[in-house]
Amino acid sequence: MSRLAAGVVLVTAHEAALDPDGPRGEDVGMTATSFMSVSLDPPLVLVSLREGSRMDDLLAEQPLWAVSVLSDHQRTVAARFAMKNRVSDRLLFDSVPHTRGSTSDAPLIDGALATLECRTEQRVAAGDHTLVIGRVLSATSPTSAGTDTGPLTHFRGRYRQLSP
């Protein structure tokens, strides 16, 4: 499957928690290449998550999440969130410019080609992965992403830029 080029997205969610001083939580994010549009009416998308991953566990409890479609200028962001065995996501977001989604409260990455806020509609077990189907609650294509950039793609184990 490494011979199939895929777009690169960042899937994010906000893990709400309570502490004695009031509500707080942690933002969670992961790079994904198994992401696709499922339906236009209603607007549905699908992301494949490794079973038992932090994001899989979080989305089993938290129905709201977001997707940022990364541009070819965001390779470092994709690599940063693809790291395995990290202890905390909190520090990962510190140096990545983002805004908070108005519906999902999840981080939306600045400079992304498009952002989507979603609510889980269905989860399907598929081998060692979970397919999460989400209803798109809002979608934007920020003008700040510019027109001189293309999508970040992944092919044969490396991030690639599409030729103009």
Side-chain angles (χ1 to χ4, degrees):
M1 293 311 298
S2 70
R3 306 262 177 178
L4 176 63
V8 181
V9 301
L10 190 66
V11 179
T12 59
H14 183 74
E15 180 178 41
L18 291 176
D19 73 15
D21 297 326
R24 59 175 267 219
E26 187 169 24
D27 292 324
V28 178
M30 63 162 272
T31 303
T33 56
S34 295
F35 176 78
M36 63 182 281
S37 171
V38 174
S39 169
L40 294 177
D41 188 16
L44 299 174
V45 294
L46 177 148
V47 64
S48 179
L49 306 174
R50 184 176 42 83
E51 185 180 81
S53 67
R54 180 144 186 229
M55 187 63 74
D56 182 39
D57 292 344
L58 176 56
L59 295 189
E61 300 295 324
Q62 160 60 279
L64 298 175
W65 45 284
V67 175
S68 296
V69 178
L70 299 181
S71 76
D72 57 15
H73 295 13
Q74 296 178 307
R75 290 177 191 216
T76 56
V77 173
R80 182 179 188 90
F81 285 88
M83 294 186 309
K84 295 181 182 179
N85 302 320
R86 59 183 182 258
V87 175
S88 171
D89 286 82
R90 187 177 307 256
L91 298 177
L92 290 176
F93 284 97
D94 282 352
S95 62
V96 176
H98 62 279
T99 56
R100 202 148 292 286
S102 60
T103 303
S104 65
D105 201 31
L108 303 172
I109 305 305
D110 294 354
L113 296 178
T115 59
L116 309 168
E117 291 187 82
C118 306
R119 182 185 66 236
T120 300
E121 291 278 310
Q122 186 176 3
R123 294 172 52 87
V124 179
D128 60 356
H129 278 67
T130 303
L131 306 179
V132 179
I133 299 170
R135 180 180 295 259
V136 177
L137 304 174
S138 69
T140 61
S141 182
T143 56
S144 63
T147 57
D148 63 337
T149 187
L152 181 61
T153 60
H154 195 260
F155 178 69
R156 294 185 74 184
R158 293 181 38 208
Y159 296 118
R160 308 284 177 132
Q161 182 175 346
L162 293 180
S163 299

